[in-house]
Amino acid sequence: MKKTIAMAALALAVSIGSISCKKKVSDAELQTQATTVVTANPNASVEVKDGTAHLSGTFADQASKDNMIASLKAIPGVKDVMDMSTIAAPVVVETVSAVDPMVQKKVTDAVKDFPSVKVEVVNGELTLTGNVSQAQAKQIKMSVDALKAGKVNYNYTVK
């Protein structure tokens, strides 16, 4: 009886010991896995210390940054991700109109008696749109041509 109890106790101790001896992943192994994940963004880098991944660098937008953090957290053995990265400032492209604003104002003033006609700059060219009658179309064309506004697209509908 004593032998049976001793054997059961020994078996219990061995099974508890084997369950609690979970293999710990080294920082070097985590660094390799994390670096592989981060290579998706050439402007980012990661360093793993004590199971925590420290993410730095620049991301194009918040979504790509969040995806990278989620990917790092998904690596087995990574306890946490410290985010030290930034979002790149958006590139602002300033468009300069090929049409002089003064010319556009003069043309707008010339067609002010025709509320259905709009004066816009489309693809760098002055463009008139809207609905006009045959007589109005002639009058608008003569008024605008007298201003010597350069190339003007008359894209209005004559009814």
Side-chain angles (χ1 to χ4, degrees):
M1 179 82 167
K2 285 183 179 180
K3 276 187 177 180
T4 308
I5 292 174
M7 290 296 271
L10 181 61
L12 181 62
V14 169
S15 65
I16 289 173
S18 66
I19 291 172
S20 65
C21 291
K22 187 176 179 183
K23 183 183 173 198
K24 184 178 179 197
V25 182
S26 72
D27 281 347
E29 291 172 297
L30 291 175
Q31 179 69 46
T32 301
Q33 292 176 17
T35 301
T36 302
V37 168
V38 172
T39 56
N41 182 348
N43 297 321
S45 62
V46 66
E47 183 180 331
V48 177
K49 185 173 182 180
D50 298 327
T52 300
H54 299 266
L55 179 64
S56 60
T58 306
F59 289 87
D61 53 36
Q62 186 65 44
S64 59
K65 179 178 174 178
D66 291 344
N67 288 339
M68 184 67 67
I69 291 171
S71 296
L72 289 170
K73 285 182 177 180
I75 297 172
V78 171
K79 297 175 195 170
D80 196 14
V81 176
M82 298 300 295
D83 179 21
M84 299 175 289
S85 62
T86 58
I87 306 292
V91 178
V92 178
V93 178
E94 207 171 300
T95 57
V96 178
S97 175
V99 178
D100 182 5
M102 291 302 293
V103 171
Q104 185 176 354
K105 183 175 179 352
K106 287 179 183 178
V107 172
T108 302
D109 289 342
V111 298
K112 70 179 179 228
D113 294 333
F114 309 99
S116 67
V117 177
K118 292 188 180 176
V119 179
E120 302 172 310
V121 177
V122 178
N123 296 328
E125 295 178 347
L126 206 52
T127 304
L128 279 73
T129 57
N131 296 315
V132 295
S133 68
Q134 183 86 23
Q136 290 173 328
K138 280 184 179 183
Q139 191 175 2
I140 292 170
K141 180 140 177 51
M142 285 182 3
S143 297
V144 173
D145 285 349
L147 295 173
K148 297 185 179 170
K151 180 155 173 60
V152 177
N153 294 320
Y154 298 95
N155 288 348
Y156 45 69
T157 304
V158 178
K159 293 187 175 190

